[in-house]
Amino acid sequence: MEKVGRYEFLAEPFHCDFAGRLFIGHLGNHMLNAADFHSTDRGFGMKYLQTINRSWVLSRLAIEMEDVPQQYDRFVVETWVESAMRYFTSRNFRVVGLDGHTFGYGRSIWAMIDTESRQPTDIFSIDDGAINQWIEKEKECPIAKGGRVKMPDEVVHVRSIETYYNDVDINGHINSVKYIEHLLDLWPVDWYRGHRFHRLEIAYVAEAHGGDRLDFYRAGTGSGAATDIEVRKNGGDAVCRARVEFK
Amino acid sequence: MEKVGRYEFLAEPFHCDFAGRLFIGHLGNHMLNAADFHSTDRGFGMKYLQTINRSWVLSRLAIEMEDVPQQYDRFVVETWVESAMRYFTSRNFRVVGLDGHTFGYGRSIWAMIDTESRQPTDIFSIDDGAINQWIEKEKECPIAKGGRVKMPDEVVHVRSIETYYNDVDINGHINSVKYIEHLLDLWPVDWYRGHRFHRLEIAYVAEAHGGDRLDFYRAGTGSGAATDIEVRKNGGDAVCRARVEFK
């Protein structure tokens, strides 16, 4: 089996925006699926981990696109493990058309937790460090690693939303992809007529649960090239921080 | 080509609820995909219709499940055209496991509109009534047709939500599946620990657009076997009416 996994997806018509462009949230979901298929095929997927009370938890995700698939496009998400340490592993993605044209790339950082204690556990304990066989250092992922988004003291409250049944994933937490959707929903539909998505970085800091209220705070005016946003729950601590860039 | 189309799907892990059950909204999306694949394969799919300024518009949908696929289950959505008239066609669905076990069924009614005038158009005008070749009257769909949900004069306002960029589909309207999610989100996460989804009927009465506020009104106490809900936009007219049943 190769180190790089390749998984084909379809830009389903109802997963595309008013202009026929695949929503970035659905693209993110395809990346998470590709990650799970790749790790399942190699013996350390979520379904197996559930049987030993372990789970992968997404810690950071960056998606940078020159272009996105259009409705009915078939495309491939390539994914590979760039590095693994005891408590974190980094996994990259390339989104490529069937004609070989690169749409964009992704970078992600994952931790493994004990699903009972919720504490980080040793990734190398799975099958005697099996993940080390799959590290691919040569394949290029020419986008910046996610930096640390540091929020200023002065932030602007821009929206609060409630979370419900459909927001909660199999781990009992608010689904990682829902944050991507909520973040990109901070810009009005008309904004997307004149701008296109370029890059999103998101750092998942803490877990939120169904019923939590999510409060969105923006750094500064949001009029620069990049907009920094912090999401807090129930008026309290941060659950994630993100940077969004359009072109 | 057969009259009944069969399309295989995967219950993706991030499309499942906290108990590992495929969300009904995602199941509905798979039914809409199956409908589009079936009609595309037979010459009257949405992508072709876009080229002649026509589009299918979902008018009614009923989903009734004895059981739902669990995470990582592969399952098949069968779909066929039960009947066609000048302005409406009815299309059925059966959701079946790879082992042949039936999860449930769906029924839907579709109109075809002119995408410029937004008026209904003659379905038989497409390729000289080609849809008539594909009518399958014998295959069983043993669930009730959707009835007319009639709201009483006294209704209870239960929630209002705003709509954003991610809610808007390729037709520029609020995505049909989003209503299913919003309706099922009216019950708290804990409700789903003790109850399972049985049936949803939804009649799409008018179109809503990104930026519209959706106001949800319930008939009566919602404590009976079935709960009737009307969704209105911006404090005004109804956009859809639905009946939801749990077991």
Side-chain angles (χ1 to χ4, degrees), chain A residues 43-235:
Chain A
F44 46 91
M46 284 197 302
K47 195 176 183 182
Y48 164 65
L49 293 181
Q50 284 169 14
T51 67
I52 56 167
N53 296 323
R54 297 283 187 277
S55 185
W56 288 114
V57 172
L58 181 60
S59 173
R60 306 182 72 97
L61 178 66
I63 299 176
E64 186 170 321
M65 305 302 290
E66 285 308 310
D67 190 8
V68 294
Q70 290 277 317
Q71 60 166 346
Y72 297 105
D73 281 351
R74 290 190 181 275
F75 61 95
V76 167
V77 177
E78 295 178 346
T79 183
W80 64 97
V81 177
E82 186 186 63
S83 66
M85 293 185 296
R86 188 172 295 272
Y87 293 116
F88 287 101
T89 175
S90 71
R91 170 184 287 285
N92 296 342
F93 304 93
R94 176 178 173 238
V95 183
V96 54
L98 295 189
D99 61 357
H101 142 249
T102 300
F103 287 105
Y105 292 90
R107 286 183 173 276
S108 63
I109 306 282
W110 301 75
M112 188 179 288
I113 62 160
D114 181 306
T115 52
E116 285 172 5
S117 72
R118 316 300 305 172
Q119 294 301 308
T121 63
D122 182 352
I123 292 169
F124 297 146
S125 72
I126 303 302
D127 197 13
D128 200 22
I131 197 171
N132 282 316
Q133 301 167 44
W134 303 107
I135 301 206
E136 165 60 64
K137 292 180 185 297
E138 302 306 313
K139 190 170 168 75
E140 190 184 35
C141 187
I143 65 168
K145 295 187 179 180
R148 189 167 297 269
V149 172
K150 189 167 175 341
M151 296 297 286
D153 293 337
E154 296 278 319
V155 293
V156 181
H157 174 254
V158 285
R159 184 170 294 162
S160 289
I161 62 155
E162 303 295 330
T163 60
Y164 303 112
Y165 167 66
N166 274 282
D167 299 312
V168 177
D169 71 11
I170 184 77
N171 290 320
H173 307 140
I174 302 303
N175 180 332
S176 310
V177 163
K178 293 280 177 176
Y179 293 102
I180 298 177
E181 295 179 350
H182 295 320
L183 287 162
L184 296 178
D185 277 344
L186 294 177
W187 284 265
V189 175
D190 278 344
W191 171 267
Y192 290 91
R193 298 189 200 281
H195 298 81
R196 61 188 179 76
F197 170 86
H198 178 57
R199 181 180 165 95
L200 169 79
E201 290 177 30
I202 181 165
Y204 297 96
V205 179
E207 294 161 353
H209 299 84
D212 284 345
R213 191 187 70 231
L214 301 179
D215 306 309
F216 293 75
Y217 293 87
R218 191 183 63 212
T221 62
S223 61
T227 303
D228 291 349
I229 300 156
E230 182 169 275
V231 185
R232 302 177 189 167
K233 66 176 171 185
N234 306 323

Side-chain angles (χ1 to χ4, degrees), chain B residues 177-190:
Chain B
V177 163
K178 292 280 178 177
Y179 292 102
I180 298 176
E181 295 178 349
H182 295 321
L183 287 163
L184 295 179
D185 277 344
L186 294 176
W187 284 265
V189 175
D190 278 343

Side-chain angles (χ1 to χ4, degrees), chain A residues 12 14-15 17-18 20 23 29 33 36 50 71-72 159 164-166 168-170 175 181 185 192, chain B residues 12 14-15 17-18 20 23 29 33 36 50 71-72 159 164-166 168-170 175 181 185 192:
Chain A
E12 299 180 12
F14 296 103
H15 287 175
D17 76 2
F18 64 84
F23 280 120
N29 182 58
N33 279 328
D36 189 39
Q50 284 169 14
Q71 60 166 346
Y72 297 105
R159 184 170 294 162
Y164 303 112
Y165 167 66
N166 274 282
V168 177
D169 71 11
I170 184 77
N175 180 332
E181 295 179 350
D185 277 344
Y192 290 91
Chain B
E12 299 179 11
F14 296 103
H15 287 175
D17 76 2
F18 65 84
F23 280 120
N29 183 58
N33 280 329
D36 189 40
Q50 285 169 12
Q71 60 167 343
Y72 296 106
R159 183 171 294 161
Y164 303 112
Y165 167 66
N166 275 282
V168 178
D169 71 12
I170 183 77
N175 180 333
E181 295 178 349
D185 277 344
Y192 290 91

